[in-house]
Amino acid sequence: MSSASFGPEEWDFSGLANTELIACAYWEYARESDFIRCTLRSYREWFLSGAKRDKASDRLFARMDRLQSIGDVSDVIIRGCCFPADAVWQSVDDKVENYRHRDADPITGSFPAPWQTLAHAERTCRSAVANHGKRLRPPPIDRGDHFEAEDIGKHCRARQDELLADYHRIQGAHPNRSEVELIAEGKLKPWPGIPPSLYWESGREVTVIRVAWADYTNDELVQYFRRWVKANRPPNLPIPSRRGRKPGDWRAYLTRLATMRLLSRFKPAEIFRASCETSGAVWNSKQFSGRKWHDTVKWHDARREARQIFHRLFPFLPPSEVPLSWQREDTQ
């Protein structure tokens, strides 16, 4: 990132919506990694040159595996990496080379361009992956499909036949014992009931419910549904932790990145004197509006924290790799 291209999109993240913060943090910190930049550039070159499998491509895949080791959030950076960086997609003529289906995700080969230069639709798409992962893109609650109702019916009938077969087997083995006696002796389990639900590995449940629309207001239904959710959440699917995912935490990550980038181009004295257009804009930014930023020590602390965050987000990077903005550029 040369000084000539050092615009506010490189350091002023104060205007970002909360929904973009996680994706933007991963994206912008990834731009600081020489390993990630070189890996994705090499993957694009390999793909566009014919995607030939050989020993070199195996080494490249090993590098990609390291990047993907952080889970779904790696897709924030990786998606679109095989597209030409300058491709301009269109959705009119499916016979031309740059045709993209109208319903396709608005992803481009934009990395490592600054996050804030991406189109709004692309930022929204990448943010959804960072916020929810690839498996949780559907809305939290929606109405099921008719074929799911049929699947629930088949599942419940099969479960009922299984339970009844077990019941009759035990009753047949003890013809002189009543059901109450068999249950008391532990030979027969009480009827467990058959929830009209299907559970998927992704953590999704499709179920049958009854809603008394005519008897309750929307607010009353919402309050009851809150109690129902707490009582019926599957024990193997605990409430997702939001630790470390508060908007303020991620804004702090980006602010520390901003301080590192600014200090890679300006001395603290230059920033405090507002001796250039960029440093003047710093003090007009909401991101640096607090009084604490008038302390030089705070800037150096934040820079050091940015390096720690860099390795926290990408633990597969060697400890020796430092962010590209760690050293001050020669701006003369």
Side-chain angles (χ1 to χ4, degrees), residues 91-106:
S91 300
V92 179
D93 187 352
D94 60 4
K95 297 180 177 61
V96 300
E97 185 177 359
N98 66 338
Y99 170 74
R100 183 204 296 271
H101 193 278
R102 294 179 186 274
D103 296 330
D105 288 340

Side-chain angles (χ1 to χ4, degrees), residues 112-297:
W115 173 265
Q116 295 184 87
T117 64
L118 274 59
H120 176 73
E122 181 168 5
R123 287 158 59 174
T124 300
C125 183
R126 293 185 186 273
S127 295
V129 176
N131 295 336
H132 309 297
K134 290 181 290 188
R135 299 183 304 170
L136 301 179
R137 298 290 295 279
I141 302 171
D142 60 354
R143 190 180 295 279
D145 292 312
H146 70 280
F147 61 83
E148 291 174 314
E150 183 178 356
D151 289 341
I152 290 174
K154 291 179 179 178
H155 166 73
C156 291
R157 283 191 294 272
R159 179 61 176 153
Q160 176 176 280
D161 291 344
E162 178 185 350
L163 291 171
L164 285 175
D166 194 49
Y167 174 83
H168 291 310
R169 178 182 60 80
I170 296 173
Q171 282 263 321
H174 304 85
N176 299 322
R177 315 289 288 175
S178 70
E179 180 179 335
V180 174
E181 291 173 323
L182 290 173
I183 291 176
E185 295 171 5
K187 294 182 174 64
L188 186 66
K189 294 181 180 180
W191 186 258
I194 306 174
S197 294
L198 294 175
Y199 297 93
W200 303 97
E201 290 184 3
S202 62
R204 189 167 68 108
E205 175 183 355
V206 181
T207 191
V208 175
I209 63 171
R210 289 188 292 265
V211 182
W213 295 106
D215 300 309
Y216 299 94
T217 66
N218 287 351
D219 288 342
E220 290 172 328
L221 289 170
V222 167
Q223 291 176 13
Y224 185 84
F225 187 69
R226 284 176 61 87
R227 295 196 296 271
W228 183 89
V229 167
K230 291 181 180 181
N232 290 276
R233 172 176 282 275
N236 63 317
L237 293 172
I239 298 174
S241 172
R242 292 293 183 254
R243 182 180 302 173
R245 289 198 167 228
K246 296 178 181 178
D249 297 334
W250 292 95
R251 287 195 187 278
Y253 285 5
L254 289 167
T255 300
R256 279 146 183 76
L257 175 63
T259 61
M260 181 175 66
R261 288 180 174 173
L262 287 164
L263 289 176
S264 74
R265 289 156 176 86
F266 307 99
K267 297 177 181 179
E270 294 175 312
I271 297 175
F272 294 156
R273 287 198 306 265
S275 57
C276 68
E277 182 179 350
T278 298
S279 59
V282 167
W283 304 115
N284 291 325
S285 167
K286 182 179 179 180
Q287 191 169 246
F288 293 103
S289 61
R291 291 180 59 85
K292 63 183 179 182
W293 293 111
H294 291 269
D295 183 354
T296 304
V297 174

